[in-house]
Amino acid sequence: MVTIKPMTVARMRVAGEAASHSRTDVTVRDVATTIDEPEERGGTNKGLSPTETLMASLIGCTNVITHKIAAANGIQIAAMSVKADADFDRRGVTLEAEVDVPVPEIRLKIDLSTTASESEIEMVKRELAKFCPISKVIRQAGTKIVEEWTVTRP
């Protein structure tokens, strides 16, 4: 009998081309996206800014990992939305001063519609903190992530 060992480390390959001083065209796998600055900061507003991309990544990871945890534990999610709010110390990006933690706190508002019990929801929250790689990287950088969960029953 042959045992297949699951891959535990995956190499990520992402490439970016500087289309201008503010715009980067990014490709990964067969997907392309644009990272750009808003017009008021000299960009063309063709995509999220780098810092907005970071926040969007946290939202996306929160969604994916929450759904994985729920599925692994037989929990049905009828609907979910995630909003992020943060204050960004821009002195670093304006080259005014080095900022150790440019985003000291991110507040996530997570709205979940589910029939899960309170204990199941608490388990999902704990597991999310353990397994979301984006939140782990952000927390290790010194940013506090505050989650506000609103759970409704369908």
Side-chain angles (χ1 to χ4, degrees):
M1 180 173 175
V2 176
T3 302
I4 299 174
K5 186 176 180 180
M7 182 171 52
T8 57
V9 176
R11 176 154 310 198
M12 295 186 295
R13 289 189 170 92
V14 181
E17 285 293 321
S20 74
H21 72 285
S22 64
R23 177 178 157 187
T24 308
D25 293 329
V26 178
T27 56
V28 60
R29 300 182 321 273
D30 60 346
V31 178
T33 192
T34 297
I35 298 175
D36 197 2
E37 292 289 338
E39 290 176 0
E40 61 268 16
R41 290 201 304 264
T44 57
N45 203 39
K46 300 290 184 197
L48 302 178
S49 72
T51 49
E52 291 165 340
T53 302
L54 175 70
M55 298 286 279
S57 294
L58 177 60
I59 288 171
C61 191
T62 300
N63 172 53
V64 169
I65 300 302
T66 297
H67 275 85
K68 282 186 175 189
I69 294 163
N73 289 280
I75 298 169
Q76 298 295 316
I77 295 176
M80 180 176 176
S81 68
V82 183
K83 295 177 183 168
D85 181 53
D87 294 319
F88 174 42
D89 186 339
R90 297 194 72 245
R91 291 177 301 152
V93 299
T94 61
L95 309 181
E96 181 182 331
E98 179 181 10
V99 178
D100 289 336
V101 183
V103 182
E105 182 178 285
I106 299 172
R107 294 162 299 280
L108 288 181
K109 184 169 179 1
I110 303 166
D111 292 323
L112 194 66
S113 177
T114 181
T115 57
S117 69
E118 287 304 315
S119 63
E120 289 172 319
I121 296 299
E122 290 305 314
M123 178 274 302
V124 168
K125 292 177 185 179
R126 284 190 308 274
E127 296 293 293
L128 176 62
K130 285 172 42 179
F131 293 112
C132 174
I134 303 299
S135 70
K136 290 184 81 86
V137 168
I138 291 171
R139 283 187 177 103
Q140 288 297 318
T143 298
K144 180 180 179 182
I145 298 176
V146 178
E147 297 173 3
E148 177 190 328
W149 291 72
T150 302
V151 179
T152 57
R153 303 298 192 274

